[in-house]
Amino acid sequence: MTAQLIDGSDGLEGVVAAQTVLSEVDGAAGRLIIRGHSLDELAGRTRYEDIVALLFTGFFEDLPADVPAALGRARVEVFQEVSALDTGLLDRTPIEAMRALTARLADGDDAEVAFRLLAAPAVFTAAVVRAQAGEAPVAPDPAMGHAADILRMLRGRPASKAEADALDTYLVTVADHGLNASTFAARVVASTRAGLGSAVLAGISALKGPLHGGAPGPVIEMLDEIGTPSNARAWIEAALDRGDRLMGFGHRVYKVRDPRADALKAAVRWLDARQGRLEFAEAVEAAALAILRERKPNRSLQTNVEFYTALLLEALAFPPSAFTCVFAMGRVAGWLAHSREQLAGGRLIRPASVYVGPTPKKAA
Ligand code: SDX
């Protein structure tokens, strides 16, 4: 097998590092397929529990027949770890605190471990956000749908159907997305047979970065700093002059508009209290796309998933500091499915590198 020489500076762009039956990201056509279903068949029409079943089928011999009930039970089980939420964790960012609580769960490779890991970002984020606001955690209701229970645990009161449907749409839309950085990190760890818990911790850690899952929070900061559509051009040009990246724009794979952007924008429209905010965001988006075209004519920098994610999660009353945690609530299904796929057929992931450092002074 000849090693394909890559200097690594291009972030392995275009390098095929795995075969998968889980999802395909067609960057040229702006199309996302998840296990044979296009995104528009799934977003807004499927609950998160259904996409979990779709992604997990064939990868767990012990997959529960009733996924919603199994996920409800898992929320109750992991809630026991919330008592470990001590003052030390309250000073951390929500994703650091959620990661620390997730690390307390027993590692392993079976469906029971997987369902606890599915539940963990949801249960722990709601508890951390409430604790950091000085409020007691709210115990899960295993009989509720996952999205509805997340909002209830976060707020301490039931959410409307429109809100639960909007969160379900978000969780489904971000559940899996090819070999993105956090999924690749999860597969690498899974390939060593470290366990699903270790793989999910790797995924959470990679997702935390602002170039990946850490972008939606800063989108809100950008919108709030711009304030009015008439300020958009000046603010955006100043940011680009500083060499800043516009959060919510650009993508390693999509060279056209990310299909998830419009799926999430549609969900924001269901939350009708947001029309003014949505129109303002659309004006900022139009200005950003125009200026990116002017400044980077040779690059196709389009709106990615994070721009309308920010509006949706803001509308659902998640604090911007917890937006990446909500991303993890959805993507954990993909990390787990890819980890199981890696275990099923893959070998230890161990690429080569080319040594370009100094040679020893005298021959050994
Ligand atoms: C996600 O991979 C996935 O599938 C990820 C994801 C998923 O579901 O898992 O889709 C989720 O991570 C979405 C992306 C969220 N991140 C952001 O919104 C942060 C802002 N975006 C960028 O930092 C950037 O677009 C990346 C990191 C997303 C992709 O960057 P690449 O492919 O590494 O491209 P690059 O950094 O080499 O940039 C190429 C050029 C550069 O300019 P020049 O070298 O031509 O001078 O485009 C410019 C960059 O400066 N550029 C931007 C920009 N993105 C790229 N300039 C301003 N604002 C931006 N957002």
Side-chain angles (χ1 to χ4, degrees):
M1 181 77 135
T2 51
Q4 188 186 358
L5 184 57
I6 295 159
D7 71 7
S9 64
D10 59 357
L12 302 183
E13 183 162 6
V15 172
V16 176
Q19 265 193 330
T20 180
V21 298
L22 294 167
S23 59
E24 184 196 29
V25 179
D26 180 340
R31 196 179 54 166
L32 171 59
I33 290 173
I34 298 181
R35 291 216 89 170
H37 299 268
S38 65
L39 179 65
D40 53 21
E41 287 174 65
L42 299 169
R45 296 181 168 80
T46 311
R47 295 177 313 164
Y48 183 64
E49 290 88 337
D50 302 322
I51 201 91
V52 167
L54 187 65
L55 286 167
F56 281 16
T57 298
F59 290 110
F60 288 93
E61 301 76 29
D62 53 346
L63 184 65
D66 187 339
V67 166
L71 190 47
R73 280 196 304 277
R75 289 197 300 274
V76 172
E77 288 162 7
V78 302
F79 184 71
Q80 313 311 319
E81 297 298 337
V82 165
S83 55
L85 190 49
D86 59 17
T87 45
L89 284 182
L90 292 186
D91 300 337
R92 300 289 184 79
T93 61
I95 194 159
E96 289 171 301
M98 180 270 278
R99 180 177 60 186
L101 289 172
T102 303
R104 293 173 58 85
L105 298 176
D107 213 334
D109 286 319
D110 61 23
E112 204 172 328
V113 166
F115 271 73
R116 287 198 200 108
L117 291 163
L118 272 176
V123 171
F124 296 150
T125 300
V128 167
V129 168
R130 289 183 65 83
Q132 290 181 339
E135 293 162 343
V138 173
D141 176 347
M144 291 183 87
H146 195 52
D149 204 24
I150 288 168
L151 292 171
R152 191 189 61 85
M153 290 188 286
L154 178 76
R155 304 165 173 180
R157 55 178 166 75
S160 68
K161 182 176 181 318
E163 289 174 317
D165 290 348
L167 182 56
D168 245 330
T169 298
Y170 173 73
L171 297 175
V172 165
T173 298
V174 300
D176 198 45
H177 203 247
L179 212 54
N180 59 83
S182 56
T183 299
F184 184 51
R187 282 190 83 125
V188 169
V189 171
S191 81
T192 73
R193 302 196 183 287
L196 296 175
S198 301
V200 163
L201 289 171
I204 293 170
S205 300
L207 190 74
K208 178 171 171 286
L211 295 189
H212 185 18
V219 168
I220 295 296
E221 289 163 24
M222 172 175 71
L223 293 175
D224 291 345
E225 286 178 23
I226 290 173
T228 62
S230 57
N231 287 345
R233 174 166 279 273
W235 190 95
I236 290 166
E237 290 194 332
L240 295 177
D241 289 345
R242 290 194 300 272
D244 292 356
R245 297 295 181 88
L246 300 183
M247 294 292 122
F249 296 92
H251 197 276
R252 173 61 60 80
V253 179
Y254 287 122
K255 299 312 169 202
V256 294
R257 189 177 178 79
D258 186 329
R260 299 170 295 175
D262 289 329
L264 298 180
K265 188 169 161 181
V268 175
R269 287 199 201 290
W270 302 340
L271 307 174
D272 52 14
R274 311 292 302 160
Q275 294 325 304
R277 184 73 164 166
L278 183 56
E279 275 134 33
F280 166 56
E282 286 174 320
V284 171
E285 177 191 14
L289 292 173
I291 297 165
L292 286 169
R293 261 194 309 277
E294 290 161 19
R295 298 269 188 120
K296 309 270 179 183
N298 303 327
R299 301 278 185 179
S300 174
L301 300 174
Q302 304 294 335
T303 311
N304 65 41
V305 64
E306 311 295 23
F307 189 77
Y308 286 104
T309 287
L311 257 75
L312 182 56
L313 299 189
E314 179 189 54
L316 293 173
F318 288 100
S321 61
F323 284 2
T324 308
C325 294
V326 189
F327 196 162
M329 293 178 200
R331 184 55 55 85
V332 63
W335 294 333
L336 289 162
H338 277 271
S339 297
R340 292 290 299 176
E341 184 176 57
Q342 182 64 37
L343 284 171
R347 297 174 64 211
L348 173 72
I349 295 176
R350 201 285 184 209
S353 56
V354 175
Y355 176 68
V356 293
T359 48
K361 294 274 182 293
K362 57 182 182 0

